[in-house]
Amino acid sequence: MTTGLAAASSTLAAPSIAQVASLSGRKVGRDRIWMRRAGIGEEIAIRLQHRTVPEAQAAMAELSWFFRDWKDDDRALWIDPDLIHLISGIQVRASRLHGSERCVMLTSGYRTPERNRTLEGAALNSFHLKGQAGDIYFSGFNSRQVAHMARLSGAGGVGTYTRSGFTHVDTGPRRNWGS
């Protein structure tokens, strides 16, 4: 499996598997992630650590498809595994602070260059184009609180969008912006 920046050059087809792993009731933890796609309602709860390479590849295929650009013909590419682990770490913090499991709401994952050009204020070299960024929120937390948890979890870029109610996180160099 290709990961990281090298993965950005290869596109991804829809995975042929329906479910990667049973989570035994718990959906949140350092070894798992639970996400819902804002706007389309898709949900994924998946294990992040696997015994075999094919299991790990299948899980990353599922997650990469979940992060696809559904607004541009469902185009997808391999998502940076470090991004998935970053978001999982933020989810663990949010769940501990809230006292119950919190689902990650993903508003934007991978973006095609064509769609990125149509978004006002989107960076031309956005980490969304490389599969290294996600725009997220959690119920029970505002975007500034999520940004703080992202910084504590080791995020590279952290953008706070208080009016829109989401936080941008990426695996690029450390930087902060937003309202």
Side-chain angles (χ1 to χ4, degrees), residues 38 103-107 135-139 141 146 164-167:
C103 184
V104 178
M105 299 300 296
L106 179 69
T107 63
D135 296 339
I136 63 171
Y137 68 92
F138 296 90
S139 66
F141 294 94
V146 175
S164 301
F166 70 86
T167 304

Side-chain angles (χ1 to χ4, degrees), residues 36-103:
R36 189 171 299 128
R37 206 54 211 262
I40 57 176
E42 291 181 358
E43 185 170 335
I44 189 169
I46 197 165
R47 204 175 284 284
L48 300 178
Q49 296 174 356
H50 301 277
R51 293 183 183 147
T52 68
V53 171
E55 288 175 349
Q57 289 173 330
M60 280 310 300
E62 287 276 330
L63 286 161
S64 293
W65 180 251
F66 186 80
F67 271 73
R68 74 192 181 279
D69 191 339
W70 63 272
K71 292 182 179 178
D72 192 356
D73 201 27
D74 281 341
R75 290 172 41 196
L77 57 66
W78 289 104
I79 298 301
D80 182 355
D82 290 340
L83 176 64
I84 302 300
H85 288 282
L86 168 65
I87 293 173
S88 173
I90 299 166
Q91 181 177 46
V92 167
R93 287 180 188 278
S95 296
R96 285 184 182 151
L97 284 170
H98 192 271
S100 65
E101 292 186 335
R102 300 282 85 195
C103 184

Side-chain angles (χ1 to χ4, degrees), residues 5-17:
L5 289 176
S9 64
S10 63
T11 58
L12 182 71
S16 60
I17 56 176

